Amino acid sequence: MELEEIVYKYALWNAVKHNGQAQVGPVVSKVFAEKPELKANAKEVVKLAEKVVAKVNSMTLEQQTAEIQRYPDLLEERKKEEKKTLSPLPNVKGTVVTRFAPNPDGPLHLGNARAAVLSFEYAKMYNGKFILRFDDTDPKVKKPIKEAYQWIRDDLRWLNITWDLEFKASERLSAYYEVTKVMLEKGVAYVDTLSDSEFKAHRDARKMAEYKPRSNPPEVNLELWERMLNGDFDEGKAVVRIKTNPEDPDPSKIDWVMLRIIDTRRNPHPITGDKFRVWPTYNFATAVDDHEFGITHILRAKEHMTNTEKQRWVYNYMGWEMPTVLEFGRLKLEGFMMSKSKIRGMLETGSERDDPRLPTLAGLRRRGIIPDTVREIIIQVGLKVTDATISFDNIASVNRKLLDPVAKRLMFVKDGVAFKLDIPQEMKAKVPLIPSKQEFREISVKPGDEIYLDRDDVEQGKIVRLMDLCNVKIEGDALRFISQDLESAKRMGADIIQWVKKSDSKPVIVIRADPEKNLEEIKGYGERYFENLKAGDIVQLVRYGFARVDSISPSGITMIFAHE
């Protein structure tokens, strides 16, 4: 019996780890690790493991999860095994300072949340500082959305991310102007009043030595700079360029633009309006801010590798120390609506950023994904230089693991069909609410009460077990009582199904999100306990899946389906 108990606990451990299905091999390995002396009787152990694994696999994942609570040592082992940690940062000297610099031109999604989570977690890991910097210096092409500043704050707070300092790049124009003036005085930058096509012709022919604006002395450039600030040039008629290697094999890195003119009367900035006309580019503003705010470590996608090299020119010319840059691979998302045209159309008004088909944090939140799931997924991926893929199935797996021990189990039937209950006397069902906490609720039924069943479970002449109540046979519009005990249901091979007492039922609409289709509405009924729910609650609908309460009205409850 002692050996069977050991095999049983490891079969549960393996089943819960693999979505309800244990494998004999890993179970036997665990048994031998705990009791090496049993290797001498390997055949007997394997035979017993096959029997126990079959028993465990016949249980629902819900039952397995409840059973595993009996083994606290095993739960602790699972926690240790599943806990992922970040690798140490290189070049740590003094206080670690990281930052997240989103462009507020839309809501945060899983892709850009990666930089936010990793930057925050590393700052916390080293008791350092984390800065939120809004990169909003493009009022025309990547025009900031006024509401997006708050969207981003809300999304970060949902992820339990806090910041020591917040600022907007659009409010620091004077700082960029000061550094520009210094670089012009040093002769490492110049004002270019020729057309973009003329610059590219010289650049691509590798004839930058003959490009006249590049050879202008500092005093000419400073005069032209003042004229730019005074509004003497129209948009597109003058830019400030930094002098880089004219022979660089990558043309984009040759004398890239530091500042340009944007007609903010036509394209007003949501924060500063038309106050400024000369705006820094991403690379220049980022370099200045990262230096002035003491950023020690920058975590960014490897697609920014060229930007890192561009920014290094500013650091070198100004005599600043370059932060340590850590680059990670691209993040590919699967199982979401990924059509940019569709997403853009949905987000134009800002009202659909929480559409549950989208990989936005707001969409995930509305769908019933909890913040710890997003953080765990991102930390699991970590700082891999190779590209990584996150599918919705990955997210659902982690979310299920975290929700399963705490989510309330409630009965819901879709497309409900009513039957009269033909039982000999009043009965009470003691139904688990939160199995891991041994919490239950009681539902009383009397002969003649009407019961809703899920239409998919209805088959004339079929014997079923009404979960935690009794075993019945479906005959016409009645459910004929057969027996009450669970063991006889097992002997008869009866399916265990959920049910809802009609007089206690609550109308429920469950919305399912297919990535490429319209949202699907599924109508049904929930048990009386649904009246205790509030918007934002995430529950497990028995035999259906996890869902989040989206709204409550006098006509019923609307939920968003999360995952199975």
Side-chain angles (χ1 to χ4, degrees):
M1 288 303 295
E2 181 190 356
L3 175 57
E4 187 165 344
E5 183 78 5
I6 293 171
V7 175
Y8 180 61
K9 75 173 184 178
Y10 285 125
L12 286 170
W13 174 85
N14 192 251
V16 172
K17 185 178 178 182
H18 295 287
N19 203 27
Q21 291 298 303
Q23 297 291 323
V24 173
V27 172
V28 171
S29 297
K30 280 285 184 182
V31 173
F32 287 158
E34 181 174 330
K35 299 279 187 181
E37 65 274 15
L38 292 174
K39 290 181 180 179
N41 304 97
K43 286 186 178 179
E44 289 82 354
V45 173
V46 170
K47 191 173 180 181
L48 178 60
E50 288 172 345
K51 172 187 166 187
V52 174
V53 164
K55 173 186 171 184
V56 168
N57 287 349
S58 70
M59 299 163 65
T60 66
L61 181 58
E62 182 178 307
Q63 292 168 329
Q64 293 166 350
T65 304
E67 271 290 284
I68 206 170
Q69 307 300 317
R70 293 171 47 199
Y71 306 99
D73 58 322
L74 209 56
L75 291 173
E76 192 59 36
E77 182 181 343
R78 283 188 71 227
K79 285 180 185 175
K80 288 178 183 176
E81 184 179 277
E82 291 165 359
K83 188 172 178 63
K84 301 288 182 181
T85 55
L86 294 170
S87 55
L89 284 177
N91 305 326
V92 174
K93 297 175 286 186
T95 303
V96 168
V97 184
T98 63
R99 51 80 167 161
F100 176 53
N103 185 333
D105 63 344
L108 292 185
H109 52 76
L110 269 175
N112 48 30
R114 185 182 184 187
V117 170
L118 292 177
S119 298
F120 172 73
E121 289 295 332
Y122 271 118
K124 187 171 72 170
M125 180 174 165
Y126 286 92
N127 295 314
K129 293 181 180 179
F130 174 70
I131 293 173
L132 173 60
R133 169 188 179 266
F134 287 106
D135 178 30
D136 59 347
T137 60
D138 187 348
K140 186 178 179 181
V141 180
K142 292 187 176 181
K143 189 179 182 68
I145 301 170
K146 192 170 185 178
E147 295 80 9
Y149 295 86
Q150 192 58 44
W151 293 347
I152 290 169
R153 294 187 192 102
D154 291 344
D155 286 341
L156 293 177
R157 290 188 181 111
W158 176 68
L159 287 172
N160 297 312
I161 289 177
T162 56
W163 47 98
D164 299 282
L165 177 69
E166 174 190 318
F167 68 91
K168 304 177 185 70
S170 60
E171 296 174 336
R172 285 182 37 79
L173 273 289
S174 59
Y176 309 134
Y177 294 168
E178 288 175 15
V179 176
T180 301
K181 185 175 180 183
V182 172
M183 293 181 69
L184 291 171
E185 289 172 341
K186 287 185 171 188
V188 297
Y190 61 95
V191 176
D192 185 357
T193 57
L194 297 183
S195 68
D196 191 47
S197 59
E198 288 180 86
F199 168 78
K200 287 179 178 177
H202 284 78
R203 181 196 66 186
D204 296 346
R206 293 296 190 264
K207 293 182 177 180
M208 290 303 294
E210 300 174 14
Y211 194 57
K212 189 176 183 308
R214 200 175 201 265
S215 59
N216 283 338
E219 54 269 24
V220 171
N221 285 317
L222 288 168
E223 180 187 346
L224 291 171
W225 169 240
E226 287 301 319
R227 290 180 60 193
M228 281 182 69
L229 294 177
N230 291 335
D232 292 350
F233 296 103
D234 291 334
E235 182 178 314
K237 298 302 182 182
V239 296
V240 179
R241 295 185 181 277
I242 184 171
K243 290 182 180 178
T244 66
N245 177 12
E247 301 300 323
D248 196 301
D250 181 353
S252 74
K253 291 190 286 185
I254 297 175
D255 288 18
W256 50 270
V257 174
M258 289 168 46
L259 301 103
R260 75 285 200 206
I261 297 167
I262 295 176
D263 186 348
T264 46
R265 288 168 299 184
R266 291 184 178 180
N267 294 286
H269 191 281
I271 303 298
T272 60
D274 61 358
K275 181 179 178 181
F276 301 104
R277 297 179 74 253
V278 179
W279 290 86
T281 56
Y282 166 81
N283 282 306
F284 182 57
T286 298
V288 173
D289 286 344
D290 284 346
H291 167 71
E292 293 195 3
F293 287 90
I295 305 302
T296 62
H297 293 77
I298 300 170
L299 286 75
R300 57 167 50 141
K302 67 180 181 182
E303 61 201 64
H304 285 281
M305 192 177 297
T306 298
N307 291 329
T308 299
E309 294 175 24
K310 288 180 176 181
Q311 291 165 26
R312 196 179 302 278
W313 284 94
V314 179
Y315 278 87
N316 290 340
Y317 281 143
M318 295 300 294
W320 299 337
E321 183 180 353
M322 182 86 176
T324 298
V325 179
L326 302 169
E327 291 161 339
F328 44 78
R330 289 177 179 271
L331 198 60
K332 183 181 177 184
L333 304 178
E334 292 180 349
F336 298 97
M337 178 184 285
M338 298 305 295
S339 165
K340 289 184 178 179
S341 59
K342 285 184 182 179
I343 293 172
R344 193 180 303 115
M346 293 166 64
L347 296 179
E348 275 177 354
T349 62
S351 61
E352 298 290 343
R353 70 188 181 97
D354 62 352
D355 188 293
R357 290 168 293 179
L358 297 180
T360 57
L361 296 188
L364 292 171
R365 178 166 64 243
R366 188 175 174 209
R367 190 165 178 170
I369 304 302
I370 60 176
D372 284 350
T373 294
V374 176
R375 290 158 64 92
E376 183 170 326
I377 284 281
I378 289 171
I379 289 172
Q380 281 178 359
V381 176
L383 277 172
K384 289 180 182 175
V385 179
T386 54
D387 294 349
T389 299
I390 293 179
S391 70
F392 185 75
D393 289 342
N394 299 143
I395 295 169
S397 177
V398 173
N399 206 57
R400 185 184 303 114
K401 176 192 71 176
L402 296 176
L403 284 175
D404 202 73
V406 296
K408 293 173 180 174
R409 268 72 161 174
L410 299 178
M411 292 193 288
F412 162 79
V413 294
K414 59 182 174 64
D415 197 12
V417 182
F419 292 88
K420 283 187 179 179
L421 197 55
D422 182 3
I423 55 176
Q425 73 267 338
E426 182 177 356
M427 295 180 180
K428 288 184 179 180
K430 188 179 180 182
V431 188
L433 184 64
I434 306 179
S436 64
K437 296 182 179 180
Q438 295 296 300
E439 292 185 21
F440 298 86
R441 65 197 177 284
E442 284 193 347
I443 304 174
S444 298
V445 294
K446 300 191 299 292
D449 279 347
E450 286 193 283
I451 299 293
Y452 280 127
L453 299 186
D454 191 311
R455 187 174 294 276
D456 290 346
D457 290 326
V458 175
E459 182 183 328
Q460 287 296 320
K462 184 178 181 181
I463 296 174
V464 296
R465 176 169 179 78
L466 302 179
M467 194 174 76
D468 296 301
L469 184 64
C470 64
N471 309 315
V472 297
K473 185 175 184 180
I474 302 172
E475 292 184 352
D477 63 352
L479 302 175
R480 307 290 182 196
F481 177 81
I482 294 179
S483 58
Q484 197 165 0
D485 62 305
L486 177 60
E487 288 305 314
S488 62
K490 289 181 178 178
R491 285 195 302 271
M492 292 183 288
D495 292 336
I496 301 174
I497 65 173
Q498 75 276 25
W499 51 278
V500 172
K501 185 178 174 181
K502 185 176 179 180
S503 61
D504 291 345
S505 66
K506 308 296 173 189
V508 176
I509 294 175
V510 177
I511 298 175
R512 292 188 71 119
D514 185 290
E516 299 302 330
K517 297 179 183 176
N518 292 328
L519 298 173
E520 179 189 4
E521 286 192 0
I522 298 166
K523 295 181 179 180
Y525 298 98
E527 59 174 284
R528 172 180 282 180
Y529 196 92
F530 273 74
E531 68 188 15
N532 299 317
L533 300 179
K534 59 185 185 300
D537 284 349
I538 303 170
V539 301
Q540 184 173 349
L541 305 178
V542 176
R543 293 177 68 227
Y544 193 69
F546 292 90
R548 175 186 172 275
V549 179
D550 195 55
S551 63
I552 299 174
S553 69
S555 60
I557 295 173
T558 300
M559 310 185 80
I560 306 291
F561 180 77
H563 49 75
E564 293 177 353

